[in-house]
């Protein structure tokens, strides 16, 4: 039973890491796409709302 629990824990850890990497790439791609659209004039960039907290959307610099 302990072996199965350990194996399950290892699989969960591996999946968690893979998911974190994939989500990081997705976040980077979304940010790049939005930046390119704004730079190319495809979209007008509206100013952020008054309560916008940029540090929460920094692209994962705190990881």
């Amino acid at each position: 039973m302990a072996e199965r629990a350990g194996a399950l824990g290892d699989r969960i850890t591996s999946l968690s890491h893979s998911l974190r990497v994939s989500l990081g790439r997705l976040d980077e791609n979304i940010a790049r796409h939005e930046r390119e659209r704004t730079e190319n004039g495809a979209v007008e960039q509206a100013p952020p709302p008054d309560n916008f907290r940029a540090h929460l959307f920094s692209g994962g610099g705190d990881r």
Side-chain angles (χ1 to χ4, degrees):
M1 183 85 154
E3 270 185 46
R4 291 184 72 198
L8 180 59
D10 291 343
R11 287 194 323 204
I12 290 172
T13 300
S14 176
L15 284 171
S16 173
H17 175 71
S18 296
L19 184 59
R20 188 176 313 123
V21 170
S22 295
L23 289 176
R25 275 194 225 124
L26 180 62
D27 183 49
E28 290 169 7
N29 287 336
I30 290 170
R32 180 180 46 81
H33 177 72
E34 289 176 348
R35 186 175 55 251
E36 288 174 356
R37 287 184 62 206
T38 303
E39 289 171 356
N40 294 334
V43 174
E44 289 184 27
Q45 188 171 7
D50 292 336
N51 63 347
F52 181 70
R53 295 178 287 180
H55 67 281
L56 296 177
F57 298 94
S58 65
D62 61 341
R63 285 187 241 171

Coordinates of all heavy atoms in Angstrom, one line a residue:
M1 N 0.8 -1.2 0.0 CA 0.0 0.0 0.0 C 0.9 1.3 0.0 O 0.6 2.2 -0.7 CB -0.9 0.0 1.2 CG -1.9 1.1 1.3 SD -3.3 0.7 0.3 CE -4.5 1.7 1.1
A2 N 1.9 1.3 0.8 CA 2.8 2.4 0.8 C 3.5 2.6 -0.5 O 3.7 3.8 -0.9 CB 3.9 2.2 1.9
E3 N 3.8 1.5 -1.2 CA 4.5 1.6 -2.5 C 3.5 2.3 -3.5 O 3.9 3.2 -4.3 CB 4.9 0.3 -3.0 CG 6.2 -0.2 -2.7 CD 6.6 -1.5 -3.3 OE1 6.3 -1.7 -4.5 OE2 7.1 -2.3 -2.6
R4 N 2.3 1.9 -3.5 CA 1.3 2.5 -4.4 C 1.1 4.0 -4.1 O 0.9 4.8 -5.0 CB 0.0 1.7 -4.3 CG 0.1 0.3 -4.9 CD -1.2 -0.4 -4.9 NE -2.1 0.2 -5.9 CZ -3.4 0.1 -6.0 NH1 -4.0 -0.7 -5.1 NH2 -4.1 0.6 -6.9
A5 N 1.0 4.3 -2.8 CA 0.9 5.7 -2.4 C 2.1 6.5 -2.9 O 1.9 7.6 -3.4 CB 0.7 5.8 -0.9
G6 N 3.3 6.0 -2.7 CA 4.5 6.7 -3.2 C 4.5 6.8 -4.7 O 4.8 7.9 -5.2
A7 N 4.1 5.8 -5.4 CA 4.0 5.9 -6.9 C 3.0 6.9 -7.3 O 3.2 7.7 -8.3 CB 3.7 4.5 -7.5
L8 N 1.8 6.9 -6.6 CA 0.8 7.9 -7.0 C 1.3 9.3 -6.7 O 1.1 10.2 -7.5 CB -0.5 7.7 -6.1 CG -1.6 8.6 -6.4 CD1 -2.1 8.6 -7.8 CD2 -2.8 8.2 -5.5
G9 N 2.0 9.5 -5.6 CA 2.6 10.8 -5.3 C 3.6 11.3 -6.3 O 3.6 12.4 -6.7
D10 N 4.4 10.3 -6.8 CA 5.4 10.6 -7.8 C 4.7 11.1 -9.1 O 5.1 12.0 -9.8 CB 6.3 9.5 -8.1 CG 7.2 9.2 -7.0 OD1 7.4 10.1 -6.1 OD2 7.8 8.1 -6.9
R11 N 3.6 10.4 -9.5 CA 2.9 10.7 -10.7 C 2.2 12.1 -10.6 O 2.2 12.9 -11.5 CB 1.8 9.6 -11.0 CG 2.5 8.4 -11.5 CD 1.5 7.4 -12.1 NE 0.2 7.4 -11.5 CZ -0.6 6.3 -11.5 NH1 -0.3 5.3 -12.2 NH2 -1.8 6.4 -10.9
I12 N 1.6 12.3 -9.4 CA 1.0 13.6 -9.2 C 2.0 14.8 -9.3 O 1.8 15.8 -9.9 CB 0.3 13.7 -7.9 CG1 -1.0 12.8 -7.9 CG2 -0.1 15.1 -7.5 CD1 -1.7 12.6 -6.6
T13 N 3.2 14.5 -8.7 CA 4.3 15.5 -8.8 C 4.7 15.8 -10.2 O 4.9 16.9 -10.7 CB 5.5 15.1 -7.9 OG1 5.0 14.9 -6.6 CG2 6.6 16.1 -8.0
S14 N 4.9 14.7 -11.0 CA 5.3 14.8 -12.4 C 4.2 15.5 -13.2 O 4.5 16.4 -14.0 CB 5.5 13.4 -12.9 OG 5.8 13.5 -14.3
L15 N 2.9 15.2 -13.0 CA 1.9 15.9 -13.7 C 1.8 17.4 -13.3 O 1.6 18.2 -14.2 CB 0.5 15.2 -13.4 CG 0.3 13.9 -14.1 CD1 -1.0 13.2 -13.5 CD2 0.1 14.1 -15.6
S16 N 2.0 17.6 -12.1 CA 2.0 19.0 -11.6 C 3.0 19.8 -12.3 O 2.8 21.0 -12.8 CB 2.1 19.1 -10.1 OG 2.3 20.4 -9.6
H17 N 4.2 19.3 -12.4 CA 5.3 20.0 -13.0 C 5.0 20.2 -14.5 O 5.2 21.3 -15.0 CB 6.6 19.2 -12.8 CG 7.8 19.8 -13.6 ND1 8.4 21.0 -13.2 CD2 8.4 19.4 -14.7 CE1 9.3 21.3 -14.1 NE2 9.4 20.3 -15.0
S18 N 4.6 19.1 -15.2 CA 4.2 19.3 -16.6 C 3.2 20.3 -16.8 O 3.3 21.1 -17.8 CB 3.8 17.9 -17.1 OG 4.8 17.0 -17.1
L19 N 2.2 20.3 -16.0 CA 1.1 21.3 -16.1 C 1.6 22.7 -15.9 O 1.3 23.6 -16.7 CB 0.0 21.0 -15.1 CG -1.3 21.9 -15.2 CD1 -1.9 21.8 -16.6 CD2 -2.2 21.4 -14.1
R20 N 2.5 22.9 -14.9 CA 3.0 24.2 -14.6 C 3.8 24.7 -15.8 O 3.7 25.9 -16.2 CB 3.9 24.1 -13.4 CG 4.4 25.5 -12.9 CD 5.2 25.4 -11.6 NE 4.6 24.6 -10.6 CZ 5.2 23.5 -10.1 NH1 6.4 23.2 -10.4 NH2 4.5 22.8 -9.2
V21 N 4.6 23.8 -16.5 CA 5.4 24.2 -17.6 C 4.5 24.5 -18.8 O 4.7 25.6 -19.5 CB 6.4 23.0 -18.0 CG1 7.0 23.3 -19.4 CG2 7.5 22.9 -17.0
S22 N 3.5 23.7 -19.0 CA 2.6 24.0 -20.1 C 1.8 25.3 -20.0 O 1.6 26.1 -20.9 CB 1.6 22.8 -20.3 OG 2.3 21.6 -20.6
L23 N 1.3 25.5 -18.7 CA 0.6 26.8 -18.5 C 1.5 28.0 -18.6 O 1.1 29.0 -19.0 CB -0.1 26.7 -17.1 CG -1.2 25.7 -17.0 CD1 -1.7 25.7 -15.5 CD2 -2.3 26.1 -17.9
G24 N 2.8 27.8 -18.2 CA 3.7 28.9 -18.4 C 3.9 29.3 -19.8 O 4.0 30.4 -20.2
R25 N 4.1 28.2 -20.7 CA 4.2 28.5 -22.1 C 3.0 29.1 -22.7 O 3.0 30.0 -23.5 CB 4.5 27.2 -22.8 CG 5.9 26.8 -22.8 CD 6.2 25.7 -23.9 NE 7.0 24.7 -23.2 CZ 6.7 23.4 -23.1 NH1 5.6 22.9 -23.6 NH2 7.6 22.6 -22.5
L26 N 1.8 28.6 -22.3 CA 0.5 29.2 -22.7 C 0.5 30.7 -22.4 O 0.1 31.5 -23.2 CB -0.6 28.4 -22.2 CG -2.0 28.9 -22.6 CD1 -2.2 28.8 -24.1 CD2 -3.1 28.1 -21.8
D27 N 0.8 31.0 -21.1 CA 0.8 32.4 -20.6 C 1.7 33.3 -21.5 O 1.4 34.4 -21.9 CB 1.1 32.4 -19.2 CG 1.1 33.8 -18.6 OD1 0.0 34.5 -18.8 OD2 2.0 34.2 -17.9
E28 N 2.9 32.8 -21.8 CA 3.9 33.5 -22.6 C 3.4 33.7 -24.0 O 3.5 34.8 -24.5 CB 5.2 32.8 -22.6 CG 6.0 32.7 -21.3 CD 7.1 31.8 -21.3 OE1 7.5 31.2 -22.4 OE2 7.8 31.6 -20.3
N29 N 2.8 32.7 -24.6 CA 2.2 32.8 -25.9 C 1.1 33.8 -26.0 O 1.0 34.6 -26.9 CB 1.8 31.5 -26.5 CG 3.0 30.6 -26.8 OD1 4.1 31.1 -27.1 ND2 2.7 29.3 -26.8
I30 N 0.2 33.8 -25.0 CA -0.9 34.7 -24.9 C -0.4 36.2 -24.8 O -0.8 37.1 -25.5 CB -1.9 34.4 -23.8 CG1 -2.6 33.1 -24.1 CG2 -2.9 35.6 -23.5 CD1 -3.4 32.6 -22.9
A31 N 0.6 36.4 -23.9 CA 1.1 37.7 -23.7 C 1.8 38.2 -25.0 O 1.7 39.4 -25.4 CB 2.1 37.7 -22.6
R32 N 2.6 37.3 -25.7 CA 3.2 37.7 -26.9 C 2.2 38.1 -28.0 O 2.3 39.1 -28.7 CB 4.1 36.5 -27.4 CG 4.9 36.9 -28.7 CD 5.7 35.7 -29.2 NE 5.1 34.4 -29.2 CZ 4.3 34.0 -30.1 NH1 4.0 34.7 -31.1 NH2 3.7 32.8 -30.0
H33 N 1.2 37.2 -28.1 CA 0.2 37.5 -29.1 C -0.5 38.8 -28.9 O -0.7 39.6 -29.8 CB -0.9 36.4 -29.1 CG -2.0 36.6 -30.1 ND1 -1.8 36.5 -31.4 CD2 -3.3 36.9 -29.9 CE1 -3.0 36.7 -32.0 NE2 -3.9 36.9 -31.1
E34 N -0.9 39.1 -27.6 CA -1.5 40.3 -27.3 C -0.6 41.5 -27.6 O -1.1 42.6 -28.1 CB -2.0 40.3 -25.8 CG -3.2 39.4 -25.6 CD -3.6 39.3 -24.2 OE1 -2.8 39.8 -23.3 OE2 -4.7 38.8 -23.9
R35 N 0.6 41.4 -27.2 CA 1.6 42.4 -27.4 C 1.8 42.7 -28.9 O 1.8 43.9 -29.4 CB 3.0 42.1 -26.8 CG 4.0 43.2 -26.9 CD 5.3 42.8 -26.1 NE 5.8 41.5 -26.6 CZ 5.8 40.4 -25.9 NH1 5.3 40.3 -24.7 NH2 6.4 39.3 -26.4
E36 N 1.9 41.6 -29.7 CA 2.0 41.8 -31.2 C 0.8 42.5 -31.8 O 0.9 43.3 -32.7 CB 2.3 40.5 -31.8 CG 3.6 39.9 -31.6 CD 3.8 38.5 -32.1 OE1 2.9 37.9 -32.6 OE2 5.0 38.0 -32.0
R37 N -0.4 42.1 -31.3 CA -1.6 42.7 -31.9 C -1.6 44.2 -31.5 O -2.0 45.0 -32.4 CB -2.8 42.0 -31.3 CG -3.1 40.7 -31.8 CD -4.4 40.1 -31.3 NE -5.5 40.9 -31.7 CZ -6.6 40.9 -31.0 NH1 -6.8 40.2 -29.9 NH2 -7.6 41.7 -31.4
T38 N -1.2 44.6 -30.4 CA -1.2 46.0 -29.9 C -0.2 46.7 -30.7 O -0.4 47.8 -31.2 CB -0.9 46.1 -28.4 OG1 -1.9 45.3 -27.7 CG2 -1.0 47.5 -28.0
E39 N 1.0 46.1 -30.9 CA 2.1 46.8 -31.6 C 1.8 47.0 -33.1 O 2.2 48.0 -33.7 CB 3.4 46.0 -31.5 CG 4.0 46.1 -30.1 CD 5.2 45.1 -29.9 OE1 5.5 44.3 -30.8 OE2 5.8 45.1 -28.8
N40 N 1.0 46.1 -33.7 CA 0.7 46.2 -35.1 C -0.6 47.0 -35.3 O -1.0 47.2 -36.4 CB 0.4 44.8 -35.7 CG 1.7 44.0 -35.7 OD1 2.8 44.5 -35.7 ND2 1.6 42.7 -35.6
G41 N -1.1 47.6 -34.3 CA -2.3 48.5 -34.4 C -3.6 47.7 -34.6 O -4.6 48.3 -35.0
A42 N -3.6 46.4 -34.4 CA -4.8 45.7 -34.7 C -5.8 45.9 -33.6 O -7.0 45.8 -33.8 CB -4.5 44.2 -34.7
V43 N -5.4 46.4 -32.5 CA -6.3 46.6 -31.3 C -5.8 47.9 -30.6 O -4.6 48.1 -30.4 CB -6.2 45.4 -30.3 CG1 -7.1 45.7 -29.1 CG2 -6.7 44.2 -31.0
E44 N -6.8 48.7 -30.3 CA -6.4 49.9 -29.4 C -6.2 49.4 -28.0 O -7.0 48.6 -27.5 CB -7.5 50.9 -29.5 CG -7.6 51.6 -30.8 CD -8.7 52.7 -30.7 OE1 -8.9 53.3 -29.6 OE2 -9.2 53.0 -31.8
Q45 N -5.1 49.8 -27.4 CA -4.9 49.4 -26.0 C -5.5 50.4 -25.1 O -5.2 51.6 -25.0 CB -3.4 49.4 -25.8 CG -3.0 48.8 -24.4 CD -1.6 48.5 -24.3 OE1 -0.8 48.9 -25.1 NE2 -1.2 47.9 -23.2
A46 N -6.5 49.9 -24.3 CA -7.2 50.7 -23.4 C -6.3 50.8 -22.1 O -5.6 49.9 -21.8 CB -8.5 50.1 -23.0
P47 N -6.4 51.9 -21.4 CA -5.7 52.0 -20.1 C -6.3 51.0 -19.1 O -7.4 50.7 -19.2 CB -6.0 53.5 -19.7 CG -7.2 53.9 -20.4 CD -7.2 53.1 -21.7
P48 N -5.4 50.5 -18.2 CA -5.9 49.6 -17.2 C -6.8 50.3 -16.3 O -6.8 51.5 -16.0 CB -4.6 49.1 -16.5 CG -3.6 50.2 -16.8 CD -4.0 50.8 -18.1
P49 N -7.7 49.5 -15.7 CA -8.7 50.1 -14.7 C -7.9 50.5 -13.4 O -6.8 50.1 -13.2 CB -9.6 48.9 -14.3 CG -8.9 47.7 -14.8 CD -8.0 48.1 -15.9
D50 N -8.5 51.4 -12.7 CA -7.9 52.0 -11.5 C -7.5 50.9 -10.5 O -6.5 51.1 -9.8 CB -8.8 53.0 -10.8 CG -9.0 54.2 -11.7 OD1 -8.2 54.5 -12.5 OD2 -10.1 54.8 -11.5
N51 N -8.2 49.8 -10.4 CA -7.9 48.8 -9.4 C -7.0 47.7 -10.0 O -6.8 46.6 -9.3 CB -9.2 48.2 -8.8 CG -10.0 47.5 -9.9 OD1 -9.8 47.6 -11.0 ND2 -11.0 46.8 -9.4
F52 N -6.4 47.9 -11.1 CA -5.6 46.8 -11.8 C -4.3 46.7 -11.0 O -3.6 47.6 -10.6 CB -5.2 47.3 -13.2 CG -4.3 46.3 -13.9 CD1 -4.8 45.0 -14.3 CD2 -3.0 46.6 -14.2 CE1 -4.1 44.1 -14.9 CE2 -2.2 45.6 -14.9 CZ -2.8 44.4 -15.2
R53 N -3.9 45.4 -10.7 CA -2.7 45.1 -9.9 C -1.7 44.4 -10.8 O -1.8 43.2 -10.9 CB -3.1 44.3 -8.7 CG -4.0 45.1 -7.7 CD -4.4 44.2 -6.5 NE -5.4 43.3 -7.0 CZ -5.9 42.4 -6.2 NH1 -5.6 42.3 -5.0 NH2 -6.8 41.5 -6.7
A54 N -0.9 45.2 -11.4 CA 0.0 44.6 -12.4 C 0.9 43.5 -11.9 O 1.3 42.6 -12.6 CB 0.9 45.8 -13.0
H55 N 1.3 43.6 -10.6 CA 2.2 42.6 -10.1 C 1.6 41.2 -10.1 O 2.3 40.2 -10.1 CB 2.6 42.9 -8.6 CG 1.5 42.9 -7.7 ND1 0.6 43.9 -7.6 CD2 1.2 41.9 -6.8 CE1 -0.3 43.6 -6.6 NE2 0.0 42.4 -6.1
L56 N 0.3 41.1 -10.2 CA -0.4 39.8 -10.3 C -0.3 39.2 -11.8 O -0.6 38.1 -12.0 CB -1.9 39.9 -9.9 CG -2.1 40.3 -8.4 CD1 -3.6 40.4 -8.2 CD2 -1.5 39.2 -7.5
F57 N 0.0 40.1 -12.7 CA 0.0 39.7 -14.1 C 1.4 40.0 -14.7 O 1.5 40.5 -15.8 CB -1.1 40.4 -14.9 CG -2.4 40.1 -14.4 CD1 -3.0 40.9 -13.4 CD2 -3.1 39.0 -14.8 CE1 -4.3 40.6 -12.9 CE2 -4.4 38.7 -14.3 CZ -5.0 39.5 -13.4
S58 N 2.4 39.7 -14.0 CA 3.7 40.0 -14.5 C 4.4 39.0 -15.4 O 5.6 39.0 -15.7 CB 4.6 40.3 -13.2 OG 4.8 39.1 -12.5
G59 N 3.7 37.9 -15.8 CA 4.2 36.9 -16.6 C 5.0 35.9 -15.8 O 5.8 35.1 -16.3
G60 N 4.7 35.8 -14.5 CA 5.3 34.7 -13.7 C 6.7 35.0 -13.2 O 7.5 34.1 -12.9
G61 N 7.1 36.3 -13.1 CA 8.4 36.6 -12.6 C 8.7 36.2 -11.2 O 9.9 36.1 -10.9
D62 N 7.7 35.9 -10.4 CA 8.0 35.4 -9.1 C 8.1 34.0 -8.9 O 8.2 33.4 -7.8 CB 6.8 36.0 -8.2 CG 5.5 35.4 -8.6 OD1 5.3 34.9 -9.7 OD2 4.6 35.4 -7.7
R63 N 8.1 33.2 -10.0 CA 8.2 31.7 -9.9 C 9.6 31.3 -9.7 O 10.6 31.8 -10.1 CB 7.7 31.1 -11.2 CG 6.2 31.1 -11.3 CD 5.8 30.3 -12.4 NE 5.1 31.2 -13.3 CZ 4.7 31.0 -14.5 NH1 5.0 29.8 -15.1 NH2 4.0 31.8 -15.2

